[in-house]
Amino acid sequence: MSLLERLNNDMKQAMKNKEKDKLSVIRMVKSSIQNESIKLGHDLTEEEELTVLTREVKQRKDSLLEFEKAGRSDLVQNLDEELSILSVYLPKQLSEEEVEQIVQEVISETGASSKKEMGKVMGALMPRVKGKADGGLVNRLVQKNLS
């Protein structure tokens, strides 16, 4: 079942259960997916849907950090709830150890030995961990292993 189908089913269920917050979040993500589909001019693949979902999660995490800095606990709580709703649709996240192992494999495959070659490593690595690991974590581990 595609992400869009899951969102449609969950949206119907949220309407029946009168879960306003969940319904709102699902509608926002669904809208983002449909907008991306219109922009690209075709139905999205599962990978493209995951990209949109990941972007939505990242936006909320960035906003969460900003609201925490500003001391807006009311908005922080709302974003925490939205993130917990969205996390259901993300694939299982890799542990730091699993990401570390993949980073080391890619570094050996590409033959990279310095930070100058970080772009080559990231280019080969990101498709493998897309949606399954935080980009910041991946970046940090690549830098650590290349230094």
Side-chain angles (χ1 to χ4, degrees):
M1 179 183 315
S2 76
L3 177 62
L4 201 53
E5 291 169 345
R6 283 181 59 201
L7 288 169
N8 281 329
N9 291 339
D10 289 353
M11 187 172 75
K12 290 174 190 172
Q13 195 61 45
M15 283 182 197
K16 289 178 184 175
N17 297 342
K18 297 185 181 3
E19 298 170 296
K20 291 182 197 172
D21 295 337
K22 186 174 183 179
L23 183 61
S24 172
V25 172
I26 291 172
R27 281 182 172 155
M28 280 190 280
V29 172
K30 198 168 168 261
S31 172
S32 294
I33 290 172
Q34 289 171 334
N35 286 340
E36 187 75 10
S37 176
I38 291 167
K39 186 173 109 181
L40 296 175
H42 63 81
D43 288 342
L44 299 182
T45 63
E46 297 242 353
E47 186 174 315
E48 290 169 328
E49 288 177 345
L50 181 61
T51 301
V52 173
L53 181 63
T54 305
R55 185 183 326 135
E56 291 292 317
V57 169
K58 183 178 182 335
Q59 286 174 352
R60 283 168 177 78
K61 284 182 179 178
D62 292 345
S63 297
L64 186 70
L65 289 174
E66 293 302 316
F67 291 149
E68 284 175 344
K69 285 180 189 174
R72 296 291 310 266
S73 58
D74 55 329
L75 296 175
V76 168
Q77 184 180 358
N78 289 343
L79 282 176
D80 273 337
E81 290 171 13
E82 287 184 18
L83 283 169
S84 67
I85 292 167
L86 290 177
S87 66
V88 172
Y89 301 102
L90 288 172
K92 181 184 173 288
Q93 298 294 293
L94 297 171
S95 70
E96 188 167 339
E97 293 79 26
E98 291 170 318
V99 175
E100 175 91 29
Q101 183 180 359
I102 296 170
V103 166
Q104 290 172 354
E105 287 172 13
V106 171
I107 288 174
S108 66
E109 287 171 11
T110 59
S113 58
S114 70
K115 285 191 177 185
K116 292 178 187 174
E117 298 172 294
M118 187 166 169
K120 181 167 66 170
V121 173
M122 292 297 282
L125 179 64
M126 287 313 286
R128 290 190 188 183
V129 298
K130 187 174 197 158
K132 299 178 196 164
D134 179 56
L137 170 67
V138 173
N139 189 353
R140 184 172 49 82
L141 292 174
V142 169
Q143 284 184 5
K144 183 181 98 178
N145 281 285
L146 287 179
S147 57

